[in-house]
Amino acid sequence: MSKKISISDQMITNSEQEGRLEQLNKAEHIRLMEEMNNDLEEFRRDYKVKESRSIEASSKSILTV
Amino acid sequence: MESVISDAFSLDPAIVPSQIKHSLSRLIASFKDNTWMLIECPYVDKIFRDSYYLYYSSKYGRYSRDSIKVSLFAGQPDTVNFRSSEGFEILRQQYLGFFVVRPTEPDFLGRNTISPRAFKNLPSFEYCSMPGNTTANGLKFEIRGFPHSSQDGETYSCAETTLWSVMEYFSNKYAEYQPLKPSRIHAILKGLSYERQIPSRGLSIYQISYVLKESGFGCRIYSRNEYGDDFFRLLNSYVESGIPVAVGMDDFGEVNSQNIGHAVLIIGRTVPDEMDYKNLKANVGMSVKQLTFLKTNQIEFCDCNNIDKSWVFIDDNHPPYQIGKSDYPKTNYNANWSQVKFEHFVVPLYPKIYLESFEAQNFVRQFLFFGLFPLEPMQRVYMWFYLTSSRSFKHSLALSDVQDDLKSFILEKPMPKFVWIAELSNPEQMKNQMRTGLLVIDATEPNISDNKPLIVAAYQNHLLFFDGDNDVLQKMALTLQPFSLFINNLTPSEQ
């Protein structure tokens, strides 16, 4: 016979019953997440440029000494 | 030592002292006064033998195939101890490592792994260390240190030496990596080369990255020109992660360039003190939007990877474990090097780490500033950020003083092989070396939209995590106690 022990499941159940658990999927949450996604996307575009320029620059410096 | 070299390599005894002063004498002079050397020759060194058959044997001039091995002991080793179990235990305590002397005048110093304990005037530091197995006078010894060698200038320049050191380190630590002999480096680069490869004329960071990639790593290259102020923050995040970083320094862009380009490894750092944290500037390297958020909410956000730490260098022109900051070329070399600056670095990552430091750190900032549970106003926040294996993380967490419910919750979370960790604290708790928050980020998730990389976050008396069934982010109120969880990816040096 096996018995499943999960403290996290217990914590989630307890917090749900005690009203300490909130699902972050309301309209306001989704709006905030979309805004954050846009910022991250903008940052990624900048990063891609830095990434490719780094590769290019690093190929020109020969290390010998 | 001079007479042994002159006998073993058939060199004129009159010129040996001037020939060894470049690397060998400097190494020996850096040892503590009670260091004793046990010299064995002839010694077959696998690295020099490889160079010998790759190159030296094809020259007209005569070169010995053999090398000399020098084992180091703290205090005089009793010869009787080499032939008894009890004596061996004493010798094991005394053993400090070894170095190889190869017949490549004037750069005689071959591969070596020496404990920091052997060196005088070294501050205490934390570094990437590996266990190395070796022998001395018929006995097997284990030494903890970082592999080092000087270049021979013909088959090995600083760049190849750097590559050898990195691979020697990883191959001694992890079964999936192989050591790199000179012939293998040249074989890997053959397809990229349009001219002869030997005598070596050095490599670029790009080529170093290529060899590391072919040796099983998923490398990332960062250039100072592109990343600006973030360059050293990124470098520190990898050093804190316990990854040796290959750094390229040069003065090629300077007006009075001396045409110096050099490769070194950064393998660790000195331990920051209270003043370092006190002097740490807040809100550095932020975007305009991030700065506006921090100013509006009167938050001082201090990234501890911005601390101006001293690093530990493996530099083939110096004895191992050189200490220096970003002005290392200026402080550790002569005036010709005054314009040399760190320009690029390449970090050998485990190939499945798809989320690198720059994006991972930005994700954490965005999550804390503009996410679904932003930082509360009017506070000073310290953040430590590093990569670690989930095995090391869970092991440290299980044995830590983190409160039981939080500990079990995180330990029960399935995790990828590698995770980024952001530890948070405030000035009051930091004085007691305590943390007040923690974020665990999936290092294998490059899709950063919709909070995908987040595994779990615990800060400001709440726990944030994804509900496994319907992929919705959950926020659970949970009173959090400060904790002293430290995942130290680096080994403290023994003095």
Side-chain angles (χ1 to χ4, degrees):
Chain A
M1 199 179 109
S2 65
K3 188 183 170 189
K4 187 185 172 190
I5 302 169
S6 171
I7 293 167
S8 43
D9 283 354
Q10 275 174 26
M11 283 171 71
I12 292 168
T13 310
N14 291 347
S15 60
E16 219 166 3
Q17 286 166 355
E18 292 161 14
R20 290 188 289 113
L21 191 71
E22 185 188 355
Q23 295 216 334
L24 303 179
N25 60 353
K26 316 277 179 315
E28 172 61 9
H29 298 136
I30 290 164
R31 188 191 63 78
L32 276 173
M33 213 149 73
E34 278 175 356
E35 216 169 279
M36 188 173 143
N37 286 347
N38 290 338
D39 288 347
L40 288 168
E41 192 50 47
E42 193 182 316
F43 183 87
R44 174 163 282 186
R45 284 197 295 274
D46 180 41
Y47 164 61
K48 293 275 178 210
V49 174
K50 289 180 193 297
E51 190 184 24
S52 57
R53 283 187 185 157
S54 286
I55 294 168
E56 197 186 325
S58 72
S59 65
K60 290 176 184 159
S61 162
I62 304 294
L63 313 168
T64 56
V65 181
Chain B
M1 176 58 80
E2 289 159 9
S3 62
V4 176
I5 290 174
S6 124
D7 288 348
F9 303 150
S10 308
L11 296 171
D12 180 356
I15 61 162
V16 170
S18 70
Q19 285 186 317
I20 67 170
K21 74 178 178 193
H22 177 61
S23 57
L24 216 47
S25 298
R26 280 169 65 197
L27 176 75
I28 293 168
S30 64
F31 294 145
K32 285 178 183 163
D33 294 340
N34 68 340
T35 307
W36 284 70
M37 295 191 279
L38 182 136
I39 302 173
E40 293 171 284
C41 72
Y43 172 69
V44 178
D45 178 54
K46 57 186 178 183
I47 302 300
F48 179 65
R49 274 290 165 96
D50 187 79
S51 290
Y52 178 83
Y53 289 115
L54 175 74
Y55 174 68
Y56 290 100
S57 62
S58 64
K59 287 190 183 188
Y60 172 71
R62 285 182 61 193
Y63 285 82
S64 168
R65 298 185 307 165
D66 298 323
S67 303
I68 299 166
K69 185 176 190 182
V70 182
S71 302
L72 303 169
F73 293 87
Q76 185 175 9
D78 191 333
T79 48
V80 180
N81 286 342
F82 282 93
R83 299 296 173 256
S84 75
S85 303
E86 300 77 31
F88 176 50
E89 282 308 312
I90 297 168
L91 290 170
R92 274 170 37 137
Q93 303 298 319
Q94 288 181 280
Y95 190 67
L96 295 171
F98 73 93
F99 64 88
V100 170
V101 182
R102 60 190 180 200
T104 53
E105 67 265 30
D107 296 304
F108 286 106
L109 179 61
R111 70 185 179 98
N112 60 81
T113 306
I114 304 170
S115 164
R117 281 193 297 139
F119 296 93
K120 58 187 172 194
N121 305 327
L122 267 187
S124 61
F125 57 81
E126 295 180 334
Y127 73 121
C128 307
S129 75
M130 57 145 216
N133 294 308
T134 183
T135 61
N137 197 13
L139 291 177
K140 287 181 177 176
F141 288 91
E142 188 177 275
I143 184 65
R144 190 160 272 281
F146 198 94
H148 170 271
S149 175
S150 76
Q151 56 183 285
D152 66 10
E154 296 184 56
T155 59
Y156 253 47
S157 73
C158 58
E160 285 95 345
T161 315
T162 297
L163 275 169
W164 169 81
S165 279
V166 171
M167 291 313 298
E168 193 71 7
Y169 167 76
F170 279 106
S171 61
N172 268 289
K173 260 192 124 166
Y174 306 105
E176 53 261 66
Y177 301 109
Q178 295 288 316
L180 267 185
K181 289 179 181 170
S183 58
R184 177 73 190 133
I185 296 175
H186 292 293
I188 291 172
L189 288 169
K190 201 174 174 184
L192 277 183
S193 306
Y194 296 94
E195 287 187 315
R196 67 179 187 200
Q197 292 170 271
I198 305 175
S200 173
R201 288 184 303 166
L203 304 173
S204 65
I205 279 284
Y206 182 75
Q207 287 170 308
I208 291 174
S209 179
Y210 181 79
V211 174
L212 290 172
K213 182 182 75 77
E214 292 297 301
S215 304
F217 291 99
C219 298
R220 302 299 308 146
I221 296 172
Y222 300 87
S223 290
R224 195 170 56 87
N225 268 352
E226 297 307 318
Y227 289 90
D229 291 342
D230 293 327
F231 182 75
F232 291 113
R233 175 169 63 86
L234 290 166
L235 178 56
N236 279 328
S237 72
Y238 287 118
V239 173
E240 288 299 329
S241 305
I243 302 171
V245 180
V247 180
M249 49 175 96
D250 65 62
D251 66 355
F252 299 141
E254 304 298 328
V255 180
N256 298 315
S257 170
Q258 302 291 313
N259 296 319
I260 294 170
H262 182 44
V264 293
L265 276 177
I266 293 183
I267 60 155
R269 46 119 183 96
T270 54
V271 183
D273 58 23
E274 210 176 309
M275 282 307 286
D276 288 322
Y277 288 109
K278 224 174 215 174
N279 295 334
L280 182 56
K281 282 184 185 160
N283 305 348
V284 172
M286 300 287 170
S287 68
V288 176
K289 191 176 174 185
Q290 289 170 345
L291 263 182
T292 310
F293 166 83
L294 293 169
K295 277 185 180 161
T296 311
N297 291 284
Q298 296 180 51
I299 296 172
E300 290 183 317
F301 190 82
C302 305
D303 190 326
C304 295
N305 283 329
N306 283 324
I307 292 177
D308 187 19
K309 297 165 199 162
S310 291
W311 292 303
V312 183
F313 291 85
I314 290 291
D315 183 340
D316 65 350
N317 293 327
H318 289 290
Y321 315 117
Q322 295 295 301
I323 307 290
K325 293 194 172 196
S326 53
D327 59 353
Y328 174 81
K330 213 184 263 182
T331 55
N332 288 47
Y333 283 91
N334 62 29
N336 288 340
W337 288 63
S338 62
Q339 295 190 96
V340 177
K341 291 187 183 80
F342 293 176
E343 294 293 348
H344 317 278
F345 71 83
V346 57
V347 53
L349 292 172
Y350 181 75
K352 291 179 181 65
I353 297 172
Y354 302 125
L355 183 63
E356 56 70 66
S357 182
F358 193 51
E359 277 208 291
Q361 288 189 58
N362 186 58
F363 171 77
V364 169
R365 286 176 177 190
Q366 290 289 119
F367 185 83
L368 290 173
F369 303 165
F370 309 112
L372 303 182
F373 185 50
L375 289 177
E376 286 159 0
M378 299 177 72
Q379 58 170 330
R380 186 175 171 91
V381 180
Y382 289 91
M383 182 179 86
W384 290 260
F385 190 77
Y386 54 84
L387 184 71
T388 190
S389 70
S390 53
R391 277 169 44 155
S392 298
F393 171 64
K394 285 194 171 182
H395 180 82
S396 302
L397 177 68
L399 303 177
S400 73
D401 62 357
V402 171
Q403 64 199 71
D404 287 343
D405 48 2
L406 177 62
K407 187 188 282 186
S408 300
F409 191 93
I410 299 176
L411 285 171
E412 285 178 12
K413 280 256 162 229
M415 287 188 196
K417 195 173 167 73
F418 285 95
V419 286
W420 287 103
I421 303 291
E423 295 176 4
L424 305 176
S425 191
N426 58 38
E428 195 189 325
Q429 291 301 335
M430 224 198 62
K431 279 182 203 155
N432 308 320
Q433 309 257 323
M434 301 294 269
R435 308 294 191 243
T436 54
L438 181 76
L439 286 89
V440 184
I441 308 297
D442 179 358
T444 67
E445 181 51 270
N447 182 354
I448 46 179
S449 60
D450 301 335
N451 296 314
K452 269 201 175 68
L454 182 78
I455 295 173
V456 64
Y459 61 102
Q460 292 177 172
N461 289 326
H462 282 83
L463 197 55
L464 285 99
F465 58 93
F466 277 102
D467 177 349
D469 295 334
N470 54 15
D471 215 20
V472 174
L473 195 63
Q474 315 270 322
K475 187 171 81 172
M476 182 197 292
L478 181 73
T479 308
L480 296 174
Q481 304 298 327
F483 55 89
S484 58
L485 173 68
F486 296 107
I487 318 295
N488 202 344
N489 292 305
L490 301 166
T491 313
S493 65
E494 302 162 51
Q495 296 302 310

